[in-house]
Amino acid sequence: SRPRKLALRLHPYGEGRLLVLSRDVTAVEQAEVMRRDFVANVSHEIRTPLTVLSGFVETLQSLDLPKEERTRYLQLMGQQTQRMQTLVNDLLTLSRLEGSPLPGAGDWTPVVSLLAQCEQEARALQGTLGKQLELTFAGPEGVSVGGVASELQSAFSNLVSNAVRYTPSGGQVVVVARLAEDARLEFSVRDTGPGVAAEHVPRLTERFYRVDRSRSRETGGTGLGLAIVKHVLQRHGAELRIASAPGAGSTFTIVLPATRVRTEPVRPAGSAA
Ligand code: ADP
């Protein structure tokens, strides 16, 4: 086991005696290290687009550029601004999720609506990235999931958008929601992308952990997506399973507990709506 760190305090205690109080501060120190890493990461993530932006501002000021070139620079500046906005939005989402209590019963959202939203976003993202993927979506009618609808949607959408972002053109993304025997709901996203080596898998949900930084950036990643998914799932008592291997693609599965799954009674055929 790792060495532990103790803080000692000495108190005079009667004639010529000392009382020694010790407190285990290992966890406190670890939290402090994590906090410092986090601040360093955020600063770095913000500084990079800012450096690019200020470079463009200087170029635009100092040169008498032709109109097309100016337009091009302004476009690039727009992209960097967008990147910072996405990052700040993700950071705000994370801090909101970390600080707030578990949602109560929440609302019930049909699984098919969540899937439809995922599909719409996946097709739009595929277009933006100029990719051709075979996208498949399937899920049961008449099943709803309970919780904070916007959070569950963002968890599902995050997994789907990762699959689209990391899978090269010509690949497949298969999204399936199904009721397991124990009345839990499994929402799985399988892709034929690069896959992830075993040593990285347990760390994927850490904030800013990326296997390939440049690939993540190129596709608009902030490195916070799976951290957000993890927090949303924790709040809903759900779990995330990751099955992946280099060259063999990845499957990310969200498992929602039976308490958050509702099946509508099937109406007898011919009855009124
Ligand atoms: P990012 O914005 O970098 O995608 P995420 O938190 O969503 O951040 O994911 C963390 C890392 O996990 C990614 O940088 C990538 O290395 C890896 N990853 C996530 N999804 C996939 C996938 N479907 N295929 C391969 N790697 C993935």
Side-chain angles (χ1 to χ4, degrees):
S1 70
R2 282 203 242 151
R4 309 203 64 84
K5 183 151 184 179
L6 300 178
L8 300 181
R9 267 165 57 193
L10 305 176
H11 287 281
Y13 181 66
E15 191 63 19
R17 291 199 296 176
L18 280 175
L19 179 65
V20 182
L21 295 177
S22 90
R23 198 160 60 95
D24 188 335
V25 290
T26 319
V28 178
E29 293 222 331
Q30 276 168 0
E32 178 57 17
V33 168
M34 278 178 66
R35 194 195 60 80
R36 245 180 289 156
D37 281 356
F38 180 63
V39 173
N41 277 326
V42 171
S43 312
H44 179 79
E45 295 293 329
I46 290 176
R47 195 174 54 185
T48 309
L50 274 180
T51 307
V52 178
L53 271 177
S54 62
F56 285 142
V57 168
E58 236 167 76
T59 312
L60 284 173
Q61 278 171 338
S62 63
L63 297 177
D64 202 6
L65 292 171
K67 190 162 182 291
E68 310 81 70
E69 236 174 289
R70 272 188 35 182
T71 310
R72 173 87 192 113
Y73 277 121
L74 287 169
Q75 262 171 4
L76 292 168
M77 290 168 78
Q79 284 169 13
Q80 296 299 324
T81 312
Q82 172 82 56
R83 228 185 95 181
M84 278 196 288
Q85 274 167 348
T86 311
L87 175 67
V88 170
N89 286 340
D90 278 0
L91 284 168
L92 288 172
T93 302
L94 251 188
S95 84
R96 190 169 43 76
L97 288 174
E98 284 173 344
S100 54
L102 269 167
D107 331 312
W108 292 94
T109 314
V111 171
V112 286
S113 323
L114 292 168
L115 280 169
Q117 177 73 22
C118 287
E119 175 161 12
Q120 199 183 326
E121 290 168 6
R123 298 203 183 276
L125 181 60
Q126 159 178 254
T128 310
L129 297 172
K131 279 186 183 176
Q132 280 298 327
L133 298 168
E134 195 185 307
L135 303 172
T136 314
F137 293 81
E141 296 272 349
V143 178
S144 298
V145 292
V148 182
S150 58
E151 289 183 18
L152 292 173
Q153 181 71 63
S154 96
F156 286 18
S157 292
N158 254 302
L159 296 188
V160 177
S161 81
N162 277 353
V164 170
R165 285 166 49 225
Y166 291 105
T167 306
S169 239
Q172 288 179 320
V173 174
V174 180
V175 182
V176 178
R178 66 169 206 103
L179 268 180
E181 287 94 66
D182 49 8
R184 298 199 285 183
L185 185 97
E186 290 182 4
F187 174 88
S188 70
V189 181
R190 182 163 56 83
D191 67 50
T192 57
V196 178
E199 77 255 32
H200 295 295
V201 169
R203 302 197 58 190
L204 295 184
T205 57
E206 287 175 21
R207 299 177 293 193
F208 295 117
Y209 190 86
R210 291 147 159 151
V211 178
D212 180 342
R213 192 165 284 271
S214 63
R215 201 197 303 253
S216 159
R217 287 253 176 75
E218 269 163 34
T219 57
T222 60
L224 295 173
L226 290 178
I228 292 174
V229 171
K230 182 179 110 177
H231 282 282
V232 167
L233 297 187
Q234 268 175 0
R235 280 156 53 78
H236 289 81
E239 58 176 293
L240 179 66
R241 295 182 188 150
I242 305 173
S244 190
S250 312
T251 305
F252 288 76
T253 305
I254 290 174
V255 185
L256 279 164
T259 49
R260 298 224 178 248
V261 181
R262 195 166 75 177
T263 312
E264 282 153 34
V266 182
R267 257 184 250 108
S271 73

PDB file of all heavy atoms in Angstrom, residues 158 162-163 165-166 191 194-196 204 206 209-212 216 220-227 250 252, ligand 1:
ATOM      1  N   ASN A 158     -23.122  12.220 -25.768  1.00  0.00           N
ATOM      2  CA  ASN A 158     -21.660  12.257 -25.675  1.00  0.00           C
ATOM      3  C   ASN A 158     -21.022  10.982 -26.209  1.00  0.00           C
ATOM      4  O   ASN A 158     -20.030  11.024 -26.926  1.00  0.00           O
ATOM      5  CB  ASN A 158     -21.243  12.425 -24.214  1.00  0.00           C
ATOM      6  CG  ASN A 158     -20.734  13.822 -23.938  1.00  0.00           C
ATOM      7  OD1 ASN A 158     -19.779  14.250 -24.571  1.00  0.00           O
ATOM      8  ND2 ASN A 158     -21.380  14.518 -23.017  1.00  0.00           N
ATOM      9  N   ASN A 162     -18.719  10.805 -29.565  1.00  0.00           N
ATOM     10  CA  ASN A 162     -17.355  10.259 -29.529  1.00  0.00           C
ATOM     11  C   ASN A 162     -17.163   9.188 -30.604  1.00  0.00           C
ATOM     12  O   ASN A 162     -16.154   9.176 -31.300  1.00  0.00           O
ATOM     13  CB  ASN A 162     -17.052   9.636 -28.162  1.00  0.00           C
ATOM     14  CG  ASN A 162     -16.610  10.689 -27.148  1.00  0.00           C
ATOM     15  OD1 ASN A 162     -16.417  11.844 -27.484  1.00  0.00           O
ATOM     16  ND2 ASN A 162     -16.459  10.271 -25.909  1.00  0.00           N
ATOM     17  N   ALA A 163     -18.152   8.300 -30.727  1.00  0.00           N
ATOM     18  CA  ALA A 163     -18.045   7.227 -31.724  1.00  0.00           C
ATOM     19  C   ALA A 163     -17.914   7.823 -33.122  1.00  0.00           C
ATOM     20  O   ALA A 163     -17.081   7.402 -33.927  1.00  0.00           O
ATOM     21  CB  ALA A 163     -19.256   6.300 -31.636  1.00  0.00           C
ATOM     22  N   ARG A 165     -16.848  10.841 -33.870  1.00  0.00           N
ATOM     23  CA  ARG A 165     -15.608  11.608 -33.990  1.00  0.00           C
ATOM     24  C   ARG A 165     -14.385  10.705 -34.169  1.00  0.00           C
ATOM     25  O   ARG A 165     -13.477  11.029 -34.917  1.00  0.00           O
ATOM     26  CB  ARG A 165     -15.423  12.509 -32.768  1.00  0.00           C
ATOM     27  CG  ARG A 165     -16.354  13.729 -32.816  1.00  0.00           C
ATOM     28  CD  ARG A 165     -16.429  14.439 -31.478  1.00  0.00           C
ATOM     29  NE  ARG A 165     -15.112  14.673 -30.953  1.00  0.00           N
ATOM     30  CZ  ARG A 165     -14.742  14.446 -29.695  1.00  0.00           C
ATOM     31  NH1 ARG A 165     -15.614  13.997 -28.819  1.00  0.00           N
ATOM     32  NH2 ARG A 165     -13.522  14.669 -29.315  1.00  0.00           N
ATOM     33  N   TYR A 166     -14.355   9.573 -33.449  1.00  0.00           N
ATOM     34  CA  TYR A 166     -13.137   8.760 -33.483  1.00  0.00           C
ATOM     35  C   TYR A 166     -13.130   7.681 -34.569  1.00  0.00           C
ATOM     36  O   TYR A 166     -12.095   7.086 -34.831  1.00  0.00           O
ATOM     37  CB  TYR A 166     -12.863   8.155 -32.095  1.00  0.00           C
ATOM     38  CG  TYR A 166     -12.463   9.225 -31.109  1.00  0.00           C
ATOM     39  CD1 TYR A 166     -13.331   9.679 -30.124  1.00  0.00           C
ATOM     40  CD2 TYR A 166     -11.221   9.841 -31.209  1.00  0.00           C
ATOM     41  CE1 TYR A 166     -12.975  10.705 -29.260  1.00  0.00           C
ATOM     42  CE2 TYR A 166     -10.851  10.863 -30.353  1.00  0.00           C
ATOM     43  CZ  TYR A 166     -11.729  11.284 -29.379  1.00  0.00           C
ATOM     44  OH  TYR A 166     -11.364  12.306 -28.539  1.00  0.00           O
ATOM     45  N   ASP A 191     -18.537   1.038 -32.011  1.00  0.00           N
ATOM     46  CA  ASP A 191     -17.951   1.625 -33.221  1.00  0.00           C
ATOM     47  C   ASP A 191     -16.808   0.761 -33.735  1.00  0.00           C
ATOM     48  O   ASP A 191     -16.311  -0.119 -33.037  1.00  0.00           O
ATOM     49  CB  ASP A 191     -17.491   3.068 -32.967  1.00  0.00           C
ATOM     50  CG  ASP A 191     -16.328   3.171 -31.989  1.00  0.00           C
ATOM     51  OD1 ASP A 191     -15.317   2.463 -32.161  1.00  0.00           O
ATOM     52  OD2 ASP A 191     -16.425   3.982 -31.042  1.00  0.00           O
ATOM     53  N   PRO A 194     -10.624   3.269 -33.709  1.00  0.00           N
ATOM     54  CA  PRO A 194      -9.282   2.781 -33.373  1.00  0.00           C
ATOM     55  C   PRO A 194      -9.221   1.918 -32.110  1.00  0.00           C
ATOM     56  O   PRO A 194      -8.251   1.177 -31.925  1.00  0.00           O
ATOM     57  CB  PRO A 194      -8.484   4.070 -33.166  1.00  0.00           C
ATOM     58  CG  PRO A 194      -9.506   5.097 -32.809  1.00  0.00           C
ATOM     59  CD  PRO A 194     -10.740   4.728 -33.563  1.00  0.00           C
ATOM     60  N   GLY A 195     -10.234   2.025 -31.249  1.00  0.00           N
ATOM     61  CA  GLY A 195     -10.167   1.282 -29.991  1.00  0.00           C
ATOM     62  C   GLY A 195      -9.186   1.932 -29.029  1.00  0.00           C
ATOM     63  O   GLY A 195      -8.465   2.860 -29.391  1.00  0.00           O
ATOM     64  N   VAL A 196      -9.188   1.439 -27.788  1.00  0.00           N
ATOM     65  CA  VAL A 196      -8.365   2.030 -26.733  1.00  0.00           C
ATOM     66  C   VAL A 196      -7.621   0.905 -26.024  1.00  0.00           C
ATOM     67  O   VAL A 196      -8.212  -0.125 -25.695  1.00  0.00           O
ATOM     68  CB  VAL A 196      -9.260   2.780 -25.719  1.00  0.00           C
ATOM     69  CG1 VAL A 196      -8.425   3.357 -24.574  1.00  0.00           C
ATOM     70  CG2 VAL A 196     -10.051   3.894 -26.401  1.00  0.00           C
ATOM     71  N   LEU A 204     -10.226   6.920 -18.828  1.00  0.00           N
ATOM     72  CA  LEU A 204     -10.909   7.722 -19.847  1.00  0.00           C
ATOM     73  C   LEU A 204     -11.902   8.732 -19.275  1.00  0.00           C
ATOM     74  O   LEU A 204     -12.162   9.761 -19.881  1.00  0.00           O
ATOM     75  CB  LEU A 204     -11.647   6.824 -20.855  1.00  0.00           C
ATOM     76  CG  LEU A 204     -10.783   5.922 -21.742  1.00  0.00           C
ATOM     77  CD1 LEU A 204     -11.659   5.187 -22.742  1.00  0.00           C
ATOM     78  CD2 LEU A 204      -9.711   6.730 -22.467  1.00  0.00           C
ATOM     79  N   GLU A 206     -11.507  10.462 -16.574  1.00  0.00           N
ATOM     80  CA  GLU A 206     -10.855  11.553 -15.833  1.00  0.00           C
ATOM     81  C   GLU A 206     -10.933  12.833 -16.656  1.00  0.00           C
ATOM     82  O   GLU A 206     -10.854  12.792 -17.881  1.00  0.00           O
ATOM     83  CB  GLU A 206      -9.365  11.240 -15.600  1.00  0.00           C
ATOM     84  CG  GLU A 206      -9.123  10.185 -14.564  1.00  0.00           C
ATOM     85  CD  GLU A 206      -7.634   9.831 -14.451  1.00  0.00           C
ATOM     86  OE1 GLU A 206      -6.776  10.645 -14.856  1.00  0.00           O
ATOM     87  OE2 GLU A 206      -7.362   8.728 -13.965  1.00  0.00           O
ATOM     88  N   TYR A 209      -8.349  13.715 -19.610  1.00  0.00           N
ATOM     89  CA  TYR A 209      -7.543  12.558 -20.017  1.00  0.00           C
ATOM     90  C   TYR A 209      -7.876  12.218 -21.465  1.00  0.00           C
ATOM     91  O   TYR A 209      -9.025  11.994 -21.816  1.00  0.00           O
ATOM     92  CB  TYR A 209      -7.819  11.346 -19.116  1.00  0.00           C
ATOM     93  CG  TYR A 209      -6.819  10.232 -19.356  1.00  0.00           C
ATOM     94  CD1 TYR A 209      -5.605  10.224 -18.694  1.00  0.00           C
ATOM     95  CD2 TYR A 209      -7.077   9.218 -20.282  1.00  0.00           C
ATOM     96  CE1 TYR A 209      -4.658   9.230 -18.928  1.00  0.00           C
ATOM     97  CE2 TYR A 209      -6.149   8.220 -20.525  1.00  0.00           C
ATOM     98  CZ  TYR A 209      -4.948   8.233 -19.847  1.00  0.00           C
ATOM     99  OH  TYR A 209      -4.020   7.251 -20.081  1.00  0.00           O
ATOM    100  N   ARG A 210      -6.853  12.210 -22.320  1.00  0.00           N
ATOM    101  CA  ARG A 210      -7.052  11.863 -23.724  1.00  0.00           C
ATOM    102  C   ARG A 210      -5.950  10.904 -24.136  1.00  0.00           C
ATOM    103  O   ARG A 210      -4.795  11.084 -23.754  1.00  0.00           O
ATOM    104  CB  ARG A 210      -6.912  13.089 -24.608  1.00  0.00           C
ATOM    105  CG  ARG A 210      -8.028  14.099 -24.441  1.00  0.00           C
ATOM    106  CD  ARG A 210      -7.415  15.432 -24.659  1.00  0.00           C
ATOM    107  NE  ARG A 210      -8.377  16.442 -25.015  1.00  0.00           N
ATOM    108  CZ  ARG A 210      -8.176  17.712 -24.716  1.00  0.00           C
ATOM    109  NH1 ARG A 210      -7.097  18.086 -24.064  1.00  0.00           N
ATOM    110  NH2 ARG A 210      -9.051  18.597 -25.073  1.00  0.00           N
ATOM    111  N   VAL A 211      -6.316   9.916 -24.941  1.00  0.00           N
ATOM    112  CA  VAL A 211      -5.309   8.986 -25.433  1.00  0.00           C
ATOM    113  C   VAL A 211      -4.467   9.699 -26.492  1.00  0.00           C
ATOM    114  O   VAL A 211      -3.251   9.588 -26.511  1.00  0.00           O
ATOM    115  CB  VAL A 211      -5.967   7.722 -26.022  1.00  0.00           C
ATOM    116  CG1 VAL A 211      -4.912   6.785 -26.578  1.00  0.00           C
ATOM    117  CG2 VAL A 211      -6.818   7.037 -24.959  1.00  0.00           C
ATOM    118  N   ASP A 212      -5.149  10.450 -27.357  1.00  0.00           N
ATOM    119  CA  ASP A 212      -4.459  11.120 -28.446  1.00  0.00           C
ATOM    120  C   ASP A 212      -4.938  12.564 -28.489  1.00  0.00           C
ATOM    121  O   ASP A 212      -6.018  12.864 -28.979  1.00  0.00           O
ATOM    122  CB  ASP A 212      -4.793  10.392 -29.763  1.00  0.00           C
ATOM    123  CG  ASP A 212      -4.115  11.029 -30.967  1.00  0.00           C
ATOM    124  OD1 ASP A 212      -3.686  12.197 -30.869  1.00  0.00           O
ATOM    125  OD2 ASP A 212      -4.033  10.350 -32.004  1.00  0.00           O
ATOM    126  N   SER A 216      -8.202  14.296 -30.569  1.00  0.00           N
ATOM    127  CA  SER A 216      -9.309  14.830 -29.783  1.00  0.00           C
ATOM    128  C   SER A 216      -9.606  16.270 -30.199  1.00  0.00           C
ATOM    129  O   SER A 216     -10.746  16.659 -30.434  1.00  0.00           O
ATOM    130  CB  SER A 216      -8.956  14.750 -28.298  1.00  0.00           C
ATOM    131  OG  SER A 216      -9.724  15.653 -27.545  1.00  0.00           O
ATOM    132  N   GLY A 220     -12.850  18.600 -32.300  1.00  0.00           N
ATOM    133  CA  GLY A 220     -13.609  19.487 -31.415  1.00  0.00           C
ATOM    134  C   GLY A 220     -13.757  18.990 -29.991  1.00  0.00           C
ATOM    135  O   GLY A 220     -14.666  19.412 -29.276  1.00  0.00           O
ATOM    136  N   GLY A 221     -12.875  18.091 -29.565  1.00  0.00           N
ATOM    137  CA  GLY A 221     -12.992  17.539 -28.204  1.00  0.00           C
ATOM    138  C   GLY A 221     -12.426  18.476 -27.151  1.00  0.00           C
ATOM    139  O   GLY A 221     -11.479  19.210 -27.411  1.00  0.00           O
ATOM    140  N   THR A 222     -13.027  18.439 -25.956  1.00  0.00           N
ATOM    141  CA  THR A 222     -12.510  19.250 -24.855  1.00  0.00           C
ATOM    142  C   THR A 222     -11.798  18.373 -23.823  1.00  0.00           C
ATOM    143  O   THR A 222     -11.154  18.880 -22.915  1.00  0.00           O
ATOM    144  CB  THR A 222     -13.643  19.984 -24.117  1.00  0.00           C
ATOM    145  OG1 THR A 222     -14.540  18.988 -23.594  1.00  0.00           O
ATOM    146  CG2 THR A 222     -14.394  20.915 -25.027  1.00  0.00           C
ATOM    147  N   GLY A 223     -11.945  17.051 -23.945  1.00  0.00           N
ATOM    148  CA  GLY A 223     -11.368  16.151 -22.943  1.00  0.00           C
ATOM    149  C   GLY A 223     -12.231  16.047 -21.697  1.00  0.00           C
ATOM    150  O   GLY A 223     -11.832  15.443 -20.699  1.00  0.00           O
ATOM    151  N   LEU A 224     -13.445  16.627 -21.754  1.00  0.00           N
ATOM    152  CA  LEU A 224     -14.319  16.610 -20.571  1.00  0.00           C
ATOM    153  C   LEU A 224     -15.564  15.754 -20.780  1.00  0.00           C
ATOM    154  O   LEU A 224     -16.319  15.506 -19.837  1.00  0.00           O
ATOM    155  CB  LEU A 224     -14.741  18.037 -20.218  1.00  0.00           C
ATOM    156  CG  LEU A 224     -13.614  18.971 -19.772  1.00  0.00           C
ATOM    157  CD1 LEU A 224     -14.137  20.394 -19.611  1.00  0.00           C
ATOM    158  CD2 LEU A 224     -12.990  18.487 -18.471  1.00  0.00           C
ATOM    159  N   GLY A 225     -15.785  15.303 -22.027  1.00  0.00           N
ATOM    160  CA  GLY A 225     -17.022  14.589 -22.346  1.00  0.00           C
ATOM    161  C   GLY A 225     -17.316  13.406 -21.434  1.00  0.00           C
ATOM    162  O   GLY A 225     -18.386  13.323 -20.832  1.00  0.00           O
ATOM    163  N   LEU A 226     -16.356  12.502 -21.304  1.00  0.00           N
ATOM    164  CA  LEU A 226     -16.612  11.295 -20.509  1.00  0.00           C
ATOM    165  C   LEU A 226     -16.641  11.596 -19.002  1.00  0.00           C
ATOM    166  O   LEU A 226     -17.288  10.883 -18.245  1.00  0.00           O
ATOM    167  CB  LEU A 226     -15.590  10.204 -20.830  1.00  0.00           C
ATOM    168  CG  LEU A 226     -15.723   9.575 -22.228  1.00  0.00           C
ATOM    169  CD1 LEU A 226     -14.637   8.532 -22.466  1.00  0.00           C
ATOM    170  CD2 LEU A 226     -17.105   8.942 -22.418  1.00  0.00           C
ATOM    171  N   ALA A 227     -15.966  12.680 -18.592  1.00  0.00           N
ATOM    172  CA  ALA A 227     -16.048  13.083 -17.177  1.00  0.00           C
ATOM    173  C   ALA A 227     -17.481  13.532 -16.883  1.00  0.00           C
ATOM    174  O   ALA A 227     -18.051  13.208 -15.829  1.00  0.00           O
ATOM    175  CB  ALA A 227     -15.058  14.196 -16.876  1.00  0.00           C
ATOM    176  N   SER A 250     -14.628   0.030 -30.213  1.00  0.00           N
ATOM    177  CA  SER A 250     -15.005   0.223 -28.811  1.00  0.00           C
ATOM    178  C   SER A 250     -16.495   0.044 -28.641  1.00  0.00           C
ATOM    179  O   SER A 250     -17.265   0.339 -29.551  1.00  0.00           O
ATOM    180  CB  SER A 250     -14.687   1.649 -28.343  1.00  0.00           C
ATOM    181  OG  SER A 250     -13.390   2.033 -28.703  1.00  0.00           O
ATOM    182  N   PHE A 252     -19.142   1.383 -25.684  1.00  0.00           N
ATOM    183  CA  PHE A 252     -19.427   2.084 -24.433  1.00  0.00           C
ATOM    184  C   PHE A 252     -20.882   1.789 -24.100  1.00  0.00           C
ATOM    185  O   PHE A 252     -21.763   1.997 -24.932  1.00  0.00           O
ATOM    186  CB  PHE A 252     -19.235   3.592 -24.595  1.00  0.00           C
ATOM    187  CG  PHE A 252     -17.788   4.012 -24.701  1.00  0.00           C
ATOM    188  CD1 PHE A 252     -17.075   3.825 -25.881  1.00  0.00           C
ATOM    189  CD2 PHE A 252     -17.148   4.598 -23.615  1.00  0.00           C
ATOM    190  CE1 PHE A 252     -15.748   4.214 -25.978  1.00  0.00           C
ATOM    191  CE2 PHE A 252     -15.813   5.000 -23.707  1.00  0.00           C
ATOM    192  CZ  PHE A 252     -15.111   4.806 -24.886  1.00  0.00           C
TER     193      PHE A 252
HETATM  194  P1  ADP B   1     -12.538  14.174 -25.891  1.00  0.00           P
HETATM  195  O1  ADP B   1     -13.136  15.501 -25.947  1.00  0.00           O
HETATM  196  O2  ADP B   1     -11.036  14.182 -25.926  1.00  0.00           O
HETATM  197  O3  ADP B   1     -13.124  13.200 -26.839  1.00  0.00           O
HETATM  198  P2  ADP B   1     -13.751  12.505 -23.827  1.00  0.00           P
HETATM  199  O4  ADP B   1     -13.773  12.693 -22.355  1.00  0.00           O
HETATM  200  O5  ADP B   1     -15.049  12.423 -24.527  1.00  0.00           O
HETATM  201  O6  ADP B   1     -12.849  13.693 -24.385  1.00  0.00           O
HETATM  202  O7  ADP B   1     -12.928  11.183 -24.155  1.00  0.00           O
HETATM  203  C1  ADP B   1     -11.658  10.986 -23.532  1.00  0.00           C
HETATM  204  C2  ADP B   1     -10.755  10.185 -24.438  1.00  0.00           C
HETATM  205  O8  ADP B   1     -11.262   8.859 -24.598  1.00  0.00           O
HETATM  206  C3  ADP B   1     -10.639  10.727 -25.850  1.00  0.00           C
HETATM  207  O9  ADP B   1      -9.682  11.748 -25.959  1.00  0.00           O
HETATM  208  C4  ADP B   1     -10.229   9.467 -26.634  1.00  0.00           C
HETATM  209  O10 ADP B   1      -8.844   9.269 -26.510  1.00  0.00           O
HETATM  210  C5  ADP B   1     -10.941   8.346 -25.890  1.00  0.00           C
HETATM  211  N1  ADP B   1     -12.192   7.931 -26.550  1.00  0.00           N
HETATM  212  C6  ADP B   1     -13.463   8.274 -26.200  1.00  0.00           C
HETATM  213  N2  ADP B   1     -14.366   7.680 -27.005  1.00  0.00           N
HETATM  214  C7  ADP B   1     -13.672   6.943 -27.886  1.00  0.00           C
HETATM  215  C8  ADP B   1     -14.044   6.069 -28.984  1.00  0.00           C
HETATM  216  N3  ADP B   1     -15.332   5.861 -29.313  1.00  0.00           N
HETATM  217  N4  ADP B   1     -13.036   5.461 -29.666  1.00  0.00           N
HETATM  218  C9  ADP B   1     -11.739   5.661 -29.334  1.00  0.00           C
HETATM  219  N5  ADP B   1     -11.331   6.465 -28.320  1.00  0.00           N
HETATM  220  C10 ADP B   1     -12.274   7.091 -27.605  1.00  0.00           C
END
